[in-house]
Amino acid sequence: MAAGLARLLLLLGLSARGPAPAGAAKMKVVEEPNSFGVNNPFLPQASRLQAKRDPSPVSGPVHLFRLSGKCFSLVESTYKYEFCPFHNVTQHEQTFRWNAYSGILGIWHEWEIANNTFTGMWMRDGDACRSRSRQSKVELACGKSNRLAHVSEPRTCVYALTFETPLVCHPHALLVYPTLPEALQRQWDQVEQDLADELITPQGHEKLLRTLFEDAGYLKTPEENEPTQLEGGPDSLGFETLENCRKAHKELSKEIKRLKGLLTQHGIPYTRPTETSNLEHLGHKTPRAKSPEQLRGDPGLRGSL
């Protein structure tokens, strides 16, 4: 009875308004992102994330290509991690907090190669984390089934994942040489021969192999790699290559010149700081020369050279 009465009142209200004007347009629904829905638990998590770039092309061992387009998840504590091979790594906080975190921990970038072996998959250019981008390294391990087995954060904004799969159980499953086209295999053969003939140094050998892997699409060129700043340790500056170091030095020199110009413009004097060693900054004095003594593990004498 109540439903029928409500319907009658609705019809009466519509008839009182009269027909819609002929020129009236239909309502247009505009689909656009909004901040309110970013952490809405009722929205699909994948639709809330905005990647900085597209993943790199699929590369490496052909038998691993079947993993492309699939995703594997792992829940640890209050976080759900999802690894999509050759695509990205994401993290979702499994709570009902209004600002629960959902973000990208890295986008498929390149392989890590050592000793003719694919040793890991690098996912870079993830969401911002302080002054850097989040990144993840995925190690492939032999397992009975495809599954994301472990996730950790050994360094701030850098994640380590272990993905188990039967696709890498064969001893030669992750060898690099068999995956290369014949032309690049011949180049590799020549590089090895040149090393054996001492025509190139071990450093030159390593550099030539890296160029070869870049040509194959397994590694990115230095220009395509963004320097990664990691907290703690001697690698905290993140200068992965000499070229990156030179660029940073050039930018710093330009900034110093600009600041000096500002000081001069406003008549503010400045002096060059006295150069001191790191030990002097820490309050240590340079040790005085001692008499020759036997060094541990060194058959020679200090000062004998």
Side-chain angles (χ1 to χ4, degrees):
M1 180 69 179
L5 181 58
R7 181 178 299 178
L8 178 61
L9 292 175
L10 178 61
L11 292 175
L12 289 175
L14 293 175
S15 61
R17 293 180 183 179
K26 293 183 179 180
M27 181 184 296
K28 181 179 181 182
V29 179
V30 180
E31 296 182 359
E32 60 180 0
N34 61 82
S35 58
F36 176 79
V38 170
N39 295 307
N40 187 340
F42 299 102
L43 289 178
Q45 291 179 332
S47 65
R48 303 180 229 161
L49 307 179
Q50 297 293 327
K52 295 179 180 178
R53 61 169 177 82
D54 293 332
S56 299
V58 178
S59 65
V62 177
H63 59 278
L64 297 182
F65 290 8
R66 68 188 72 177
L67 297 174
S68 180
K70 300 178 181 180
C71 295
F72 307 89
S73 60
L74 172 67
V75 176
E76 286 193 354
S77 185
T78 60
Y79 291 97
K80 176 183 178 182
Y81 299 91
E82 196 166 47
F83 168 53
C84 303
F86 303 106
H87 193 64
N88 63 24
V89 174
T90 57
Q91 180 188 46
H92 308 281
E93 187 176 358
Q94 303 292 285
T95 66
F96 289 99
R97 295 192 305 118
W98 69 272
N99 61 342
Y101 175 77
S102 287
I104 299 175
L105 304 186
I107 303 169
W108 164 236
H109 187 69
E110 65 178 348
W111 286 97
E112 181 176 88
I113 298 176
N115 298 324
N116 186 25
T117 304
F118 294 103
T119 57
M121 304 177 70
W122 274 106
M123 308 284 184
R124 304 189 191 274
D125 300 322
D127 288 348
C129 180
R130 299 181 184 178
S131 60
R132 59 186 67 83
S133 297
R134 301 177 191 269
Q135 60 176 334
S136 302
K137 179 185 175 182
V138 183
E139 293 187 354
L140 305 179
C142 175
K144 295 181 180 179
S145 62
N146 295 325
R147 75 183 189 99
L148 183 58
H150 180 68
V151 178
S152 64
E153 188 178 1
R155 291 172 288 182
T156 305
C157 309
V158 180
Y159 303 83
L161 290 76
T162 301
F163 179 71
E164 295 182 353
T165 174
L167 297 176
V168 301
C169 291
H170 191 278
H172 300 161
L174 293 176
L175 291 182
V176 178
Y177 187 89
T179 67
L180 295 171
E182 291 185 6
L184 292 181
Q185 286 182 350
R186 288 194 297 269
Q187 290 185 28
W188 194 339
D189 294 339
Q190 186 61 51
V191 170
E192 296 297 334
Q193 186 62 50
D194 291 344
L195 179 64
D197 295 338
E198 299 184 352
L199 298 178
I200 57 176
T201 64
Q203 292 80 4
H205 171 264
E206 182 178 350
K207 183 177 181 180
L208 289 172
L209 285 186
R210 178 173 180 86
T211 301
L212 191 149
F213 298 150
E214 291 172 359
D215 293 341
Y218 301 156
L219 300 179
K220 296 298 181 181
T221 62
E223 292 76 15
E224 296 174 294
N225 279 322
E226 176 185 357
T228 303
Q229 292 184 343
L230 307 179
E231 289 190 347
D235 58 349
S236 58
L237 292 178
F239 298 133
E240 297 179 351
T241 64
L242 180 59
E243 183 63 25
N244 289 334
C245 182
R246 288 173 176 169
K247 288 181 179 178
H249 180 268
K250 184 177 181 180
E251 292 175 359
L252 287 174
S253 299
K254 186 183 298 183
E255 180 65 11
I256 291 174
K257 184 177 181 180
R258 185 185 70 84
L259 293 175
K260 286 182 177 179
L262 287 175
L263 292 174
T264 303
Q265 180 181 354
H266 294 282
I268 302 175
Y270 65 90
T271 57
R272 182 185 299 273
T274 303
E275 294 183 358
T276 56
S277 66
N278 292 333
L279 291 177
E280 290 173 339
H281 278 301
L282 297 176
H284 296 286
K285 295 182 179 180
T286 304
R288 296 179 180 177
K290 296 182 179 180
S291 58
E293 60 181 354
Q294 187 75 27
L295 298 180
R296 182 179 301 175
D298 185 356
L301 294 176
R302 180 183 297 172
S304 60
L305 298 179

